Amino acid sequence: MVPKPPSCPQCPSRPPLWKDTTRTAPGVEDRWRWYCTHCARRWAPTPEHRLRFTVFPRLPQRPLR
């Protein structure tokens, strides 16, 4: 199950935040930010958010033939 993102702390309607990954690339530090599509503000994720929204369960590997 995919975790539900936090809500915007600035907007009265409290829309869910989007994970802005425009500054991420393989082999570099993970620099994603939370982004609100309503007010266009960005927030740095908390350490808990980084763990919860960056680490994914490993998929089973197919055996090599």
Side-chain angles (χ1 to χ4, degrees):
M1 184 173 181
V2 177
K4 184 178 176 184
S7 299
C8 178
Q10 190 69 29
C11 295
S13 62
R14 311 264 310 158
L17 297 175
W18 287 88
K19 185 178 173 183
D20 178 8
T21 58
T22 56
R23 293 184 171 198
T24 60
V28 296
E29 181 185 352
D30 191 14
R31 295 178 171 227
W32 62 273
R33 299 288 183 252
W34 288 118
Y35 174 74
C36 178
T37 57
H38 183 73
C39 68
R41 292 185 185 211
R42 288 181 171 79
W43 288 272
T46 64
E48 178 183 293
H49 287 162
R50 284 196 181 279
L51 181 63
R52 188 170 180 202
F53 293 93
T54 302
V55 178
F56 299 101
R58 291 181 59 120
L59 297 175
Q61 298 296 315
R62 293 183 184 172
L64 296 174
R65 293 183 187 194

